[in-house]
Amino acid sequence: MVVASPTQIHGEKLLAIELPVIDLSGERSMVSNLIVKACEEYGFFKVRNHGVPHDIIARMENESSNFFAKTFDEKQKAGLANSFGYGCKNIGFNGDTGEVEYLLFNTNPLSIAERSKTISNDPTEFSSAMSGYIEAVRELACELLDLMAEGLWVPDRSVFSRLIRDDDSDSIIRLNHYPPMPILCKDKDSSSPCNHNRVGFGEHSDPQILTILRSNDVGGLQISLNDGVWVPVTPDPSAFCVNVGDLLQAMTNGRFVSVRHKALTNSYKSRMSMAYFAAPPLNARIAVPPEMVTPIKPALYRPFSWAEFKKAAFALRLGDSRLGLFRMEEYEQVA
């Protein structure tokens, strides 16, 4: 529901909209229809009664807080290797930066166990907490993807979820810390408001299938539903925020939208979040289920592998569009 009209703030328009909040304990067909509607209209929604135990969440949040409370020199010992580990301000390999520090992991348990040795004073506890959290949010992601397939009337309800259940899934998880960034007004007599927010993680869409985000009670996430209009997402520690990735937009033939979003810092409080990015195996073929292609709605995207899409995504800047490279008309022109 729209609760306020756009207002101009430092050159950007903000629109106050409450994202759909879906109770997963409701009647199944109703829940699946609500999820499909949210994915079509917003690309984002929140879920409550999600089935992820509170103690699993709290345990992982505690480990995350313990790590980010360390000195910079201590955190540097877990520095990036083969794209995974600790990063600070630098995002990706193409010059993008932000006011963020993070830990990035492949979700493979053996990889987590090995990397935990440079992250925690108790690597066994860290590895156990991380693996338990990943297992729980992966199950949530699979359940949501099954509900989406049902709501889309796709006969094979596991058509999406089996891609992330695969043992070779390329899913990742990122723990984020956005330190407080106080900004003082240079002109105390200025009538214009001060911008108390810096960009923590710049404008982008997620390339994977689905993202499951958990954050603390500090705001900062914004989504772009229209060009130049940003919607602040109200923080809700009792819920998970879910968003459609580029691959899911392609696999639903454009019915679901992979929405651009960004994270801003807070002037006074740290924002902490944990993002699980559900991805298929590298060799997985990404294509639209045949039931979703008709003469009226022909295929928008050519089939491609996740490895092919990932390579294209990594070659671009954070805010660059990727899906356009795989649209059918681009493919037909090349062919």
Side-chain angles (χ1 to χ4, degrees):
M1 179 178 69
V2 178
V3 295
S5 57
T7 55
Q8 191 79 20
I9 299 180
H10 301 287
E12 286 189 345
K13 292 180 180 179
L14 295 183
L15 183 62
I17 293 177
E18 286 301 319
L19 290 182
V21 180
I22 299 174
D23 184 345
L24 296 185
S25 67
E27 194 274 323
R28 189 172 183 88
S29 63
M30 180 183 70
V31 170
S32 65
N33 289 334
L34 288 173
I35 290 175
V36 166
K37 188 172 187 291
C39 291
E40 291 175 333
E41 295 183 2
Y42 298 95
F44 267 80
F45 59 95
K46 297 177 183 179
V47 292
R48 291 183 179 153
N49 290 317
H50 41 68
V52 180
H54 175 74
D55 60 325
I56 287 180
I57 297 171
R59 189 182 177 198
M60 189 65 253
E61 287 180 331
N62 182 61
E63 291 296 324
S64 179
S65 296
N66 288 343
F67 175 80
F68 289 120
K70 292 183 175 185
T71 66
F72 180 71
D73 288 342
E74 289 178 308
K75 289 182 283 194
Q76 280 285 84
K77 295 176 183 177
L80 289 173
N82 298 322
S83 302
F84 297 109
Y86 174 71
C88 183
K89 298 191 182 243
N90 293 315
I91 302 169
F93 305 99
N94 298 310
D96 292 295
T97 60
E99 298 296 342
V100 62
E101 57 177 347
Y102 58 89
L103 277 172
L104 184 65
F105 298 86
N106 181 280
T107 56
N108 179 281
L110 294 178
S111 174
I112 291 171
E114 183 62 30
R115 194 155 293 282
S116 297
K117 297 174 184 177
T118 62
I119 290 172
S120 174
N121 297 329
D122 188 349
T124 301
E125 170 61 17
F126 186 96
S127 178
S128 175
M130 175 66 83
S131 295
Y133 182 80
I134 288 171
E135 182 179 349
V137 293
R138 180 174 58 234
E139 285 304 310
L140 172 59
C142 288
E143 175 66 4
L144 292 171
L145 289 169
D146 288 347
L147 285 162
M148 291 172 189
E150 292 173 26
L152 291 168
W153 294 92
V154 177
D156 181 2
R157 60 171 283 185
S158 63
V159 65
F160 306 134
S161 64
R162 77 163 64 94
L163 292 170
I164 63 172
R165 288 191 188 277
D166 193 295
D167 290 339
D168 295 324
S169 162
D170 193 42
S171 299
I172 59 175
I173 187 168
R174 192 178 66 227
L175 310 180
N176 301 307
H177 174 225
Y178 301 93
M181 290 286 165
I183 301 176
L184 299 177
C185 292
K186 292 183 180 179
D187 184 1
K188 293 183 180 180
D189 297 325
S190 173
S191 60
S192 61
C194 291
N195 182 2
H196 292 289
N197 302 105
R198 292 182 181 176
V199 175
F201 209 102
E203 177 183 348
H204 66 287
S205 63
D206 294 339
Q208 295 87 357
I209 297 175
L210 197 72
T211 303
I212 308 290
L213 178 72
R214 162 80 184 185
S215 63
N216 63 0
D217 60 353
V218 178
L221 176 63
Q222 294 187 355
I223 68 174
S224 179
L225 298 180
N226 299 293
D227 289 342
V229 179
W230 288 93
V231 177
V233 177
T234 305
D236 184 354
S238 69
F240 280 98
C241 193
V242 181
N243 66 275
V244 173
D246 292 346
L247 295 189
L248 192 54
Q249 177 172 325
M251 289 190 292
T252 58
N253 207 24
R255 275 190 65 176
F256 291 180
V257 289
S258 178
V259 171
R260 301 173 76 79
H261 51 285
K262 63 183 178 181
L264 304 181
T265 64
N266 185 278
S267 297
Y268 308 106
K269 296 180 181 179
S270 291
R271 181 172 183 265
M272 308 279 285
S273 68
M274 305 186 294
Y276 169 76
F277 303 94
L282 287 170
N283 63 358
R285 183 176 184 270
I286 305 303
V288 183
E291 298 83 7
M292 299 193 67
V293 178
T294 68
I296 299 175
K297 184 70 172 177
L300 294 177
Y301 306 98
R302 66 171 177 85
F304 54 87
S305 71
W306 166 232
E308 184 182 2
F309 191 85
K310 186 177 179 181
K311 181 180 179 181
F314 275 42
L316 299 172
R317 296 290 298 269
L318 185 66
D320 291 339
S321 175
R322 317 169 191 102
L323 268 177
L325 300 175
F326 296 85
R327 288 189 70 91
M328 190 62 79
E329 56 264 31
E330 294 291 330
Y331 173 68
E332 289 170 348
Q333 287 176 11
V334 173

